[in-house]
Amino acid sequence: MKLQEMVNEAFEIAAGNLSYSPDEMGNVPVLTYERPNGAMVSCAFGDFREEHKGAISALMRAALKRDNAVRCVFCLEAWVTRVRTEEEPVRPSDHPARQEVVMVIAEERSPRSVRVFQAPIIREAGAAPRLGTPEELDTTRSSGRFVGLLGD
């Protein structure tokens, strides 16, 4: 399966599983990857609290290395903000200007690439939540526990 197809599929699945409240878990974070023989593997992570993210990232990296994954996508709901100040570092989940999104981090081993996409979760009174149009983000400064999962 091509990487872009994996990204599109991740957004389609996420759109069908949005929670009705930002306080509820809608989409459980899912890692999907492809082995060299073309077999697809998906792993869901139900307990995604902050204190577990380091261990989850390590498990993901170990599985991808063990299976010699050729490409992967990691899909999750997240809070993001485009406002950052060095004087007052605030976690996006605590920032008053935060936005709720579905994020997809997509990686391929050869040719080596890391791409990050996000789509806003749109909530309107009296309507089911829906996913906005996904956009690809500039990854020149992307870093974090869940970026570069395939390693070098």
Side-chain angles (χ1 to χ4, degrees):
M1 180 179 276
K2 294 190 182 320
L3 189 63
Q4 189 61 52
E5 292 171 342
M6 292 173 69
V7 169
N8 295 345
E9 185 174 277
F11 276 119
E12 287 175 25
I13 292 168
N17 293 310
L18 295 173
S19 62
Y20 279 81
S21 163
D23 300 324
E24 298 173 8
M25 175 64 83
N27 284 288
V28 174
V30 174
L31 172 69
T32 302
Y33 63 94
E34 185 176 347
R35 293 178 173 152
N37 66 1
M40 301 299 292
V41 178
S42 289
C43 310
F45 301 92
D47 191 353
F48 206 65
R49 289 178 288 179
E50 184 64 33
E51 61 267 24
H52 297 151
K53 289 181 181 178
I56 290 170
S57 174
L59 286 169
M60 291 165 64
R61 290 173 191 279
L64 292 166
K65 183 176 181 176
R66 178 199 67 212
D67 286 352
N68 197 26
V70 295
R71 63 189 56 86
C72 69
V73 296
F74 180 53
C75 181
L76 69 156
E77 287 186 19
W79 291 108
V80 297
T81 181
R82 296 187 193 272
V83 179
R84 300 262 182 185
T85 62
E86 296 301 321
E87 300 83 37
E88 298 181 48
V90 177
R91 291 181 46 198
S93 59
D94 298 327
H95 198 284
R98 69 183 182 242
Q99 181 181 24
E100 189 181 14
V101 301
V102 167
M103 184 168 287
V104 175
I105 302 165
E107 300 187 30
E108 193 155 32
R109 190 172 301 282
S110 181
R112 182 74 179 122
S113 69
V114 176
R115 300 170 68 193
V116 179
F117 302 83
Q118 73 180 32
I121 297 174
I122 301 167
R123 298 184 184 281
E124 296 170 332
R130 61 186 170 87
L131 209 52
T133 303
E135 67 173 315
E136 186 167 1
L137 305 178
D138 175 11
T139 57
T140 56
R141 294 180 294 160
S142 290
S143 63
R145 290 177 279 220
F146 301 104
V147 176
L149 291 171
L150 290 177
D152 294 326

